[in-house]
Amino acid sequence: MRFNRLDLNLLLALDALLKEQNITRAAARVNVSQSAMSGMLARLREFFEDELLAAVGRNMEPTVLGRQLEAPVRDLILHIHATVGMRVSFDPAKETRCVKIMVSDYATEVFLNRVVARVLRDAPNMTLDLVPLADDASEQLRRGENDFLIIPRTFLAEEHPQRLLFEDSYCALIWEGNTQVGDTLDAETYLRLPHVAPMLGRPRSATFEELMLQGLGVQRRIKVTTSDFVSMASVLIGTDLVATMHTRLAQACARRLPVRLLPLPYTLPLMAECVQWHRFQENDPCHIWLRGVMLEVAKAMPPYDVLAAQVR
C-alpha cells in the first residue's frame, strides 16, 4: 500500500533500521535478506531525501532526521498493530498470544506468581514471558517491546496509563544466628554491621531504598552486592550481614529460611508498586482482562500496615 508515494511496508524497515542501526540485524528483525534491506534503505533515502543512517567508522548512526523520525514511526506501527488487533469479544480460554511482562524478582515473588497461577488456570493457551527489569524499561515500553511493566511509581513514564497494585514498607532482615543483634536494631548497630544490597540493571545502579537511605545521610557498609532482591536472604545465612528489604519479601523469605525480621532504625517512604502499559493498548481486550486479573490479585493482598505491624 502506498501513501503520498511511500510504500508503507518501508516503515517497518525504517523502524528496524533506526532501532538496530545495522542492516544485517534490521533484516533479521523483519525477516528479509540483507540485500533486500539495503534496497529498502536506498528507497527510504530517496523518499526522505536524507541519508537517515550514516556510516561512522564501522557503525551506523541516525542522522538528525533519522532521530526525529524514530519515535513517530514506532508510534505509528504500534497504533496500526493495536487497531488491526481490536476484537468485539474476548475469551481467555481461547487466547493464544504471548504476553511479555517486565518485572523484578521481588514483585514476582510477592505478587506476580499468583497472577501466573490464575492465567494458567483461566487462559491455558496463553504464554507469559517474564523478563527482568532494565534501565531502559520505559523506553522498551514506549517501543512496544513489552506488554506490561511492573515497577515502583517513582520510575513510571508519565505518558502511559498505570494503576497502583500494592504498597510495601521496609524492614531489616538478619540470620537467626546473628549474635550481634538483640531484640531490636538500633542505628549504631545498623551502621556498624556489614550489609548486603542489590545493584540492578546494566550498568548496575542503586535501588530505591538505597537512594532513600542516602537521602537521610545513612551510609551503609555494603560488603556484598547481589543482582536481585531474593538472593539477599540466602546470603545472610551464617553471617553478621544485614539486608534492608521489602517487608512482603522479607516475610516470604522467613517462611523458608532461618532469618528474622526487625524494624529499621530509620523511617523510609512507602514503596508503591504499579503496573503500566502502552497507551495504544488501553482498549485491547486481552490487556483489559489481564489487568483485571492483576488488580483482583493485588486487592486480595494484605495491607502493608498489617504486615509492618507484625515486624518486631
Side-chain angles (χ1 to χ4, degrees), residues 103-116 130 150-151 165-169 229-230 245-256 261 271-274 294 296-304 307:
V103 59
S104 68
D105 65 313
Y106 153 69
T108 300
E109 176 76 21
V110 305
F111 165 71
L112 199 63
N113 52 1
R114 303 171 205 178
V115 175
V116 169
L130 310 184
I150 298 178
I151 197 169
L165 292 172
F166 60 89
E167 293 178 309
D168 207 351
S169 59
F229 292 100
V230 175
M245 187 178 285
H246 307 88
T247 302
R248 296 181 189 275
L249 180 58
Q251 291 182 330
C253 292
R255 287 192 285 269
R256 60 175 183 265
L261 288 66
M271 192 282 302
E273 193 82 342
C274 299
M294 290 185 187
E296 186 177 334
V297 169
K299 186 177 180 180
M301 296 173 66
Y304 76 88
L307 298 178

Side-chain angles (χ1 to χ4, degrees), residues 263-310:
L264 287 172
Y266 307 97
T267 301
L268 298 183
L270 291 176
M271 192 282 302
E273 193 82 342
C274 299
V275 59
Q276 187 165 50
W277 57 95
H278 199 287
R279 64 185 185 278
F280 291 152
Q281 295 172 321
E282 176 74 8
N283 298 315
D284 183 305
C286 180
H287 275 251
I288 293 173
W289 175 78
L290 191 48
R291 295 197 303 261
V293 171
M294 290 185 187
L295 293 172
E296 186 177 334
V297 169
K299 186 177 180 180
M301 296 173 66
Y304 76 88
D305 52 349
V306 172
L307 298 178
Q310 299 171 2

Side-chain angles (χ1 to χ4, degrees), residues 19 98-109 111-112 115-116 127-152 155-157 165-166 200-202 229 273-278 281 287 290 294:
K19 165 64 177 177
C98 176
V99 176
K100 194 171 183 179
I101 305 174
M102 180 169 277
V103 59
S104 68
D105 65 313
Y106 153 69
T108 300
E109 176 76 21
F111 165 71
L112 199 63
V115 175
V116 169
T127 303
L128 297 178
D129 183 11
L130 310 184
V131 298
L133 287 177
D135 288 344
D136 63 343
S138 294
E139 175 62 16
Q140 289 193 39
L141 184 72
R142 183 191 70 79
R143 290 189 55 82
E145 296 177 6
N146 298 305
D147 292 280
F148 292 100
L149 174 60
I150 298 178
I151 197 169
F155 305 112
L156 291 174
L165 292 172
F166 60 89
L200 307 180
R202 293 183 180 178
F229 292 100
E273 193 82 342
C274 299
V275 59
Q276 187 165 50
W277 57 95
H278 199 287
Q281 295 172 321
H287 275 251
L290 191 48
M294 290 185 187

Side-chain angles (χ1 to χ4, degrees), residues 170-216:
Y170 292 92
C171 68
L173 193 68
I174 62 172
W175 174 47
E176 280 187 349
N178 188 339
T179 59
Q180 300 297 313
V181 182
D183 294 334
T184 61
L185 179 62
D186 57 41
E188 180 182 355
T189 305
Y190 183 85
L191 293 175
R192 175 174 56 82
L193 291 179
H195 289 249
V196 54
M199 295 286 286
L200 307 180
R202 293 183 180 178
R204 299 174 74 187
S205 55
T207 55
F208 177 76
E209 61 272 17
E210 173 62 16
L211 296 176
M212 295 302 101
L213 286 167
Q214 290 177 6
L216 294 174

Side-chain angles (χ1 to χ4, degrees), residues 90 95-97 99 119-120 123-128 286 289-290:
F90 172 75
E95 183 59 53
T96 60
R97 79 169 75 179
V99 176
V119 171
L120 293 178
N125 299 311
M126 184 183 292
T127 303
L128 297 178
C286 180
W289 175 78
L290 191 48

Side-chain angles (χ1 to χ4, degrees), residues 20-183:
E20 300 294 343
Q21 299 179 24
N22 179 281
I23 291 176
T24 301
R25 292 197 300 268
R29 191 178 182 90
V30 297
N31 198 28
V32 299
S33 67
Q34 182 176 342
S35 59
M37 182 58 69
S38 295
M40 292 177 181
L41 177 57
R43 293 162 63 189
L44 286 163
R45 285 169 167 168
E46 180 180 359
F47 178 84
F48 286 104
E49 298 179 349
D50 187 88
E51 283 292 294
L52 299 177
L53 285 166
V56 179
R58 296 183 177 181
N59 302 315
M60 300 187 76
E61 294 185 2
T63 63
V64 173
L65 179 59
R67 295 189 186 281
Q68 291 173 340
L69 288 170
E70 183 178 4
V73 168
R74 177 95 288 246
D75 281 357
L76 178 61
I77 291 173
L78 291 176
H79 205 167
I80 292 172
H81 277 304
T83 301
V84 300
M86 293 181 67
R87 298 291 185 271
V88 175
S89 61
F90 172 75
D91 184 355
K94 297 179 180 179
E95 183 59 53
T96 60
R97 79 169 75 179
C98 176
V99 176
K100 194 171 183 179
I101 305 174
M102 180 169 277
V103 59
S104 68
D105 65 313
Y106 153 69
T108 300
E109 176 76 21
V110 305
F111 165 71
L112 199 63
N113 52 1
R114 303 171 205 178
V115 175
V116 169
R118 282 282 304 275
V119 171
L120 293 178
R121 185 192 72 188
D122 298 337
N125 299 311
M126 184 183 292
T127 303
L128 297 178
D129 183 11
L130 310 184
V131 298
L133 287 177
D135 288 344
D136 63 343
S138 294
E139 175 62 16
Q140 289 193 39
L141 184 72
R142 183 191 70 79
R143 290 189 55 82
E145 296 177 6
N146 298 305
D147 292 280
F148 292 100
L149 174 60
I150 298 178
I151 197 169
R153 177 181 285 155
T154 306
F155 305 112
L156 291 174
E158 295 182 359
E159 65 268 29
H160 297 295
Q162 52 86 16
R163 289 288 299 275
L164 173 67
L165 292 172
F166 60 89
E167 293 178 309
D168 207 351
S169 59
Y170 292 92
C171 68
L173 193 68
I174 62 172
W175 174 47
E176 280 187 349
N178 188 339
T179 59
Q180 300 297 313
V181 182
D183 294 334

